[in-house]
Amino acid sequence: MSTFDDLVAEAAAAPVAGWDFSWLDGRATEQRPSWGYHRLVAERMAWAHAALDVQTGGGELLAGVPRRPPLTVATEGWPPNIAAATRLLHPLGTAVVAAADTDPLPFGDGAFDLVVSRHPVSADWEEIARVLAPDGTYLSQEVGPASVFEVVEFFLGPQSRESRGSRDPERARRAAQAAGLEVVDLRSEELHTAFFDVGAVVYFLRKVVWMVPGFTVDAYLDRLRAMHDHIGREGSFTATTTRFLIEARRPGRP
């Protein structure tokens, strides 16, 4: 049985570029939403002529789509992910454009009939509406309110009501509508994530950097030891994961 020091050291040394969580196989589990986001994206990619994946991470979603449009582009802002996505997607004929999450999308008006984004840090609805062609579709799976906050609050303490509700699906609906889009689907689910060793928690927090901003092993060593003890007693640390699916359409020309 691995010691606390061994588990933490292993996770601290693991590469975290891209959006592939296979390192956690056998060490953590996460329920997937019932709607099957990958399948929905693949269905819409099959009829699209020009598609954009915003905040692609390491490009894993696009790489797994069996049929991509003739013009497919991805954006990404984190340098390690830009490199990972480029290595994965360029051989498939998909360009990766470096663009910070807060920058305007570097494309012309009405450039895409399909825009997708899985777990964006935030959605710039004005920019999404701008780059969508008339009758174009935006399809996104987003992290919902207070997702995995049992982990967040274990390390940071109780969070404010504003922080817990900051990713409200209804707020996303209102923002999409304010940008001139018609929301045609909005669904949310509460799921569960379980961590089976403290190394899995370290890896998760190193990869999903906005959960505990500034996380390092040294800064949170005492809390990590407490987490290790909790998992030893209970067998796992379980948290509630929230996800929502939003699909919005830009109205066509009269």
Side-chain angles (χ1 to χ4, degrees), residues 3-18:
T3 67
F4 170 81
D5 290 339
D6 290 340
L7 291 167
V8 169
E10 181 188 11
V16 292

Side-chain angles (χ1 to χ4, degrees), residues 57-131:
E60 296 85 1
L61 175 71
L62 278 183
V65 172
R67 180 183 171 189
R68 288 171 296 279
L71 174 62
T72 304
V73 185
T75 66
E76 176 55 37
W78 192 40
N81 279 354
I82 294 168
T86 298
R87 288 192 300 268
L88 184 60
L89 295 176
H90 273 203
L92 303 177
T94 295
V96 178
V97 178
D101 300 339
T102 55
D103 288 348
L105 292 171
F107 308 104
D109 297 355
F112 302 98
D113 53 1
L114 177 65
V115 177
V116 301
S117 189
R118 180 175 62 175
H119 302 173
V121 175
S122 61
D124 187 333
W125 288 101
E126 294 291 338
E127 281 294 286
I128 291 164
R130 183 184 64 79
V131 302

Side-chain angles (χ1 to χ4, degrees), residues 142-233:
E142 295 204 22
V143 176
S147 187
V148 201
F149 260 46
E150 292 89 344
V151 173
V152 172
E153 295 186 332
F154 189 92
F155 288 89
L156 298 180
Q159 298 296 289
S160 68
R161 179 179 299 180
E162 180 182 1
S163 176
R164 295 184 65 86
S166 64
R167 303 184 68 90
D168 179 15
E170 289 300 328
R171 186 178 298 179
R173 183 202 298 272
R174 292 191 296 271
Q177 292 171 337
L181 300 177
E182 175 191 0
V183 176
V184 297
D185 195 3
L186 182 63
R187 292 180 255 173
S188 60
E189 290 185 0
E190 287 193 355
L191 308 158
H192 291 94
T193 294
F195 300 91
F196 301 117
D197 68 65
V198 71
V201 178
V202 170
Y203 180 85
F204 175 79
L205 293 178
R206 290 183 61 228
K207 197 173 185 76
V208 191
V209 295
W210 54 87
M211 301 302 294
V212 178
F215 171 82
T216 66
V217 169
D218 288 342
Y220 289 95
L221 191 60
D222 289 345
R223 297 309 295 154
L224 288 170
R225 289 190 183 278
M227 175 70 75
H228 178 68
D229 292 343
H230 174 97
I231 294 173
R233 293 191 306 271

